Amino acid sequence: MTDLYLQDWRAWTPHREAAGESRLDTQDKPVGKAVPSMLRRRLNLIGRAVCDMLATLDPETNRVVLHASRHGDGERTLEMLYGLNEGEPLSPARFGLSVHNATAGVYSIASGNRCSQQAIAASGSEWAALIAEARGYLADDQSSLLLVFSDQPVPQRFAAYTPTALSAAVALRVDSQPTGGAQRLVETMTPTGDSTLQPLDIIDWLMGSRQRVACPISRRGWQLEPVRS
């Protein structure tokens, strides 16, 4: 199995205290400074946060981006469907920003990154799918990747049908080889179940309030270990 080494990370959520952690942004409204204003206005809050985090983690703009989200911009998508049901015309621009890879696409345009940009949805197993895809890219001679995991609450009328979620996004730079200060991502088997991992869980894990995270749907768990010199 290909080893993954966490080199750096950034995260955004207004639902946690930073407690001196500079890598966590807790602003209610992310700035979105990495994206020109004409593109920025098209993004929701999570999209702005993600673009800023990617720009910080990859100033060379030469890394593959894997972006996992269970619902994406579900509010925008569902509002378009309601509009169609009422006979309203469909906006091509609005539709283009509702698709699952919209944020990665805007980041690619703004940054000039022409590497692969992959969007992932996995019915509650997004983190497990993200790690599996990352191992595949690293095994295929990619030396460094950007992993993004983000989500937000679904519109209220659908809240009863999905797990409760809070707005959060986290981005990680992972490599196939360790460098100074890197941590090795250790994967273990875990009992089956039906709970889900959300971006806020990963943020808590990176902040040290959780020793490990687990996705019982995929029967896998993860923890970080320092790299011994």
Side-chain angles (χ1 to χ4, degrees), residues 50-62:
V50 167
C51 287
D52 280 349
M53 291 188 291
L54 291 176
T56 300
L57 292 173
D58 185 28
E60 301 88 0
T61 63
N62 61 2

Side-chain angles (χ1 to χ4, degrees), residues 39-121:
L39 286 173
R40 186 187 313 135
R41 61 191 294 185
R42 301 181 180 185
L43 294 170
N44 60 12
L45 295 181
I46 284 183
R48 296 182 183 192
V50 167
C51 287
D52 280 349
M53 291 188 291
L54 291 176
T56 300
L57 292 173
D58 185 28
E60 301 88 0
T61 63
N62 61 2
R63 290 175 172 84
V64 169
V65 177
L66 309 180
H67 185 186
S69 178
R70 183 168 187 176
H71 300 111
D73 194 348
E75 185 170 351
R76 196 188 307 249
T77 302
L78 291 168
E79 287 302 324
M80 285 193 302
L81 292 175
Y82 301 144
L84 286 173
N85 187 57
E86 295 168 5
E88 297 177 3
L90 182 64
S91 163
R94 192 169 178 81
F95 172 78
L97 291 166
S98 72
V99 296
H100 221 61
N101 63 346
T103 297
V106 170
Y107 162 74
S108 175
I109 293 170
S111 67
N113 186 334
R114 296 296 180 261
C115 298
S116 294
Q117 317 280 318
Q118 183 172 340
I120 299 169

Side-chain angles (χ1 to χ4, degrees), residues 20-41:
E21 175 54 76
S22 61
R23 291 171 291 187
L24 175 62
D25 179 6
T26 60
Q27 297 179 85
D28 288 337
K29 294 184 178 181
V31 178
K33 61 183 178 181
V35 181
S37 58
M38 289 300 291
L39 286 173
R40 186 187 313 135
R41 61 191 294 185

